[in-house]
Amino acid sequence: MLWYAKRLPAFPESDTLPENKVSGCVSQVYITANLADGKVLYQGNSDAQLVKGLVGLLVEDLSGLTPAEIVSITPDFIQDTGLNVSLIPSRANGFYNIFQMMKKKGLQSLGSEQLELN
């Protein structure tokens, strides 16, 4: 996970806003999403290195997908990867909350592009 944390690009301080904060995490976690050429591009950050690595894993895996692809992903992948047994319950719950926020932000990015086109 630390490898993923190191790979995350710097998160703009200007995006450290309440609407980008993931609720239900013990750590401070922020997620943004933008749509470019029909694909969602995420950025994220956390004040805890392990959680930052979890954010990095999701950013790498979900960035570049369409909003429809992101929405179709179920949280089953958490069990499939084995992360659920590697993380303490509060971290597993936080990881799930980060994932749900990313799905929500992916859909919001689609809506913002449609607004810009009109």
Side-chain angles (χ1 to χ4, degrees), residues 5-115:
K6 290 178 185 175
R7 292 176 48 91
L8 267 179
F11 191 80
E13 187 66 33
S14 60
D15 287 336
T16 307
L17 303 169
E19 60 266 25
N20 295 331
K21 187 174 184 211
V22 178
S23 61
C25 287
V26 175
S27 304
Q28 302 293 309
V29 181
Y30 294 90
I31 299 291
T32 61
N34 295 297
L35 200 62
D37 299 323
K39 310 283 183 177
V40 180
L41 304 174
Y42 289 102
Q43 284 191 292
N45 195 26
S46 176
D47 61 346
Q49 281 301 108
L50 178 62
V51 177
K52 189 172 184 174
L54 294 170
V55 169
L57 173 72
L58 288 171
V59 165
E60 285 199 21
D61 287 347
L62 298 179
S63 285
L65 299 177
T66 66
E69 290 170 326
I70 292 166
V71 170
S72 71
I73 299 171
T74 64
D76 297 342
F77 78 92
I78 298 171
Q79 286 79 23
D80 296 342
T81 62
L83 281 172
N84 61 319
V85 296
S86 301
L87 299 172
I88 60 173
S90 63
R91 288 250 198 263
N93 187 52
F95 186 63
Y96 175 78
N97 290 335
I98 295 165
F99 171 66
Q100 292 299 344
M101 173 73 138
M102 292 177 84
K103 286 178 77 168
K104 177 182 168 188
K105 290 277 186 183
L107 279 176
Q108 287 174 345
S109 71
L110 181 61
S112 66
E113 182 177 83
Q114 288 175 343
L115 289 174

